[in-house]
Amino acid sequence: GALTAAALVAAGLPTTGALAFGLGWAAAGVAFGAVAAVTAQVTTGSRAATGLGVLAVAAAYLLRAAGDIPDNGPTPATWLSPIGWTQQVRPFAGDRFGLLLLPLGFALALTAVAFALRARRDLGSGLLAERAGPAQGGLGTSWALAARLNRGPLVAWVAGIAFFGVLVGSLTSSVSGMLDSPAMERFFEVLGGEQGVVDAFLAAELAIVGSFVAAYGISAAGHLHTEEAEGHADLVLATATPRWRWATSHLAVAFGGVTLLLALAGLAVGVGNALDVGETSRIDELVLAGLARAPAAWVLAALVMALFGWAPRLTGIVWGLFAAFVVLVELGALWDLPQWLLDFSPFVHSPKLPGDAAVLAPTATLTLVAGALTALGYLGWRRRDLVT
């Protein structure tokens, strides 16, 4: 929050508004940190806790989006979302610092709940006990194991993406009315799209979805390090399974899951648009627009593989880079940051579809970068010892 405020002040924006913006981001982070504290007590493993936390963030975002649809301002749905609370602080347009008490109070309450739950659960377990599996396993290959480990999170992501996509697509006929100020139109045009406000709106929303889906790719690829650190990789590699096949099975789930989710995002937006305007002519275009966002997400998953191959304990750094890349693509242009700095984010190079004619060059470049990082990771993984 402090770094964000300092960057805004350095860009020439008012200090009070910059402080409100930075504190709003920090308060949202504290609120969701408290959510993570609760999910850690409810579940046994870190994967399940992370999955519940991601779902909480997605639910908060959807509540905020649904609450802001009406023209008459925030609705009760907005006030049910920590993201909605921080948005209503209104930096540079009111600077309502008092509203920061809402996420802070929410965080304090959830922290108390987390401590109470911690006192009630057994050490090393969660309140939701894991069920014992069958006496004899039914997974015969590393590919089946990787798919099984990611099945639950992928199903949750599919449901969330489908709901959000249809919701966004159903708003296209009212976009012009929603963006009734030049500043708001310029905001969406900066984020994506060049062929009118509707295309800009759809491209901007698909850009946001693409950023979120990259988090799935990071998480799925991160199973490489988790499985190794927990000793599970030793058991698999003690069989006839070679190293490259085991790593490939997890990467295939990461890359394939990202591709599936972004194709689904485009399809869901297209279906919502068809229901809204009564024609299906744009569904194919919007599916392509969703798929065009996949290479940027592949770069993040490939970066996990590169670090896993050479410095597995540093794979968590990718989450920090992911946050920085999202900030650069969403706010960098609005802050007038130099282009060389924006270019560090792979999301900046994604085609701004629908509406952008340049597709082949950026997607090919991002795909090559992802391939190079993946190859680098395989090279390190083949040469190093297992870490437990």
Side-chain angles (χ1 to χ4, degrees):
L3 290 175
T4 301
L8 291 174
V9 172
L13 295 174
T15 302
T16 303
L19 183 61
F21 188 91
L23 289 176
W25 274 49
V30 169
F32 286 110
V35 171
V38 172
T39 62
Q41 311 310 315
V42 173
T43 60
T44 300
S46 60
R47 291 197 196 103
T50 301
L52 288 177
V54 170
L55 287 177
V57 174
Y61 183 84
L62 291 174
L63 282 171
R64 198 279 305 166
D68 289 353
I69 290 174
D71 294 334
N72 57 353
T75 65
T78 303
W79 297 106
L80 292 175
S81 168
I83 296 176
W85 300 339
T86 56
Q87 182 189 38
Q88 293 307 310
V89 173
R90 296 182 180 175
F92 311 109
D95 302 328
R96 301 192 291 179
F97 288 95
L99 288 178
L100 294 173
L101 295 175
L102 286 174
L104 294 179
F106 177 77
L108 287 174
L110 283 189
T111 300
V113 170
F115 275 105
L117 294 177
R118 183 177 181 275
R120 296 174 60 87
R121 69 173 177 84
D122 292 333
L123 185 65
S125 66
L127 292 179
L128 299 179
E130 292 186 341
R131 293 180 299 173
Q136 182 174 357
L139 301 177
T141 66
S142 61
W143 297 87
L145 176 60
R148 177 63 182 84
L149 290 173
N150 288 275
R151 184 179 64 187
L154 183 59
V155 169
W157 275 94
V158 164
I161 291 294
F163 174 79
F164 179 75
V166 173
L167 175 65
V168 168
S170 65
L171 299 177
T172 50
S173 64
S174 58
V175 167
S176 297
M178 293 167 59
L179 307 181
D180 55 358
S181 71
M184 188 61 72
E185 290 188 15
R186 186 170 63 255
F187 174 78
F188 275 101
E189 289 171 356
V190 166
L191 287 182
E194 300 174 2
Q195 304 298 320
V197 175
V198 171
D199 280 355
F201 171 78
L202 292 175
E205 295 301 323
L206 285 173
I208 293 172
V209 173
S211 299
F212 275 130
V213 170
Y216 168 82
I218 296 172
S219 178
H223 284 165
L224 290 165
H225 173 56
T226 303
E227 291 292 290
E228 181 184 11
E230 293 180 355
H232 300 161
D234 296 46
L235 300 176
V236 177
L237 296 176
T239 67
T241 303
R243 283 191 174 205
W244 68 266
R245 184 185 301 165
W246 175 79
T248 302
S249 64
H250 286 281
L251 286 179
V253 171
F255 284 93
V258 163
T259 306
L260 171 66
L261 290 172
L262 287 172
L264 176 63
L267 176 62
V269 171
V271 170
N273 174 258
L275 294 173
D276 186 39
V277 302
E279 60 178 77
T280 61
S281 60
R282 302 201 70 183
I283 290 181
D284 292 345
E285 178 188 7
L286 289 167
V287 171
L288 177 62
L291 286 172
R293 297 283 173 179
W298 294 343
V299 170
L300 273 298
L303 186 56
V304 174
M305 178 60 191
L307 288 172
F308 170 75
W310 294 93
R313 292 188 176 90
L314 300 181
T315 55
I317 293 176
V318 179
W319 285 108
L321 293 174
F322 165 71
F325 293 157
V326 171
V327 170
L328 285 175
V329 72
E330 298 294 342
L331 299 174
L334 299 178
W335 293 348
D336 292 326
L337 296 180
Q339 187 61 43
W340 65 266
L341 181 58
L342 299 181
D343 286 339
F344 278 102
S345 172
F347 303 122
V348 169
H349 303 285
S350 290
K352 300 177 178 62
L353 296 175
D356 192 348
V359 177
L360 182 59
T363 54
T365 300
L366 290 170
T367 302
L368 288 174
V369 171
L373 289 172
T374 302
L376 180 65
Y378 273 114
L379 179 62
W381 169 233
R382 184 174 64 87
R383 295 167 62 89
R384 71 171 174 83
D385 295 330
L386 287 176
V387 177
T388 57

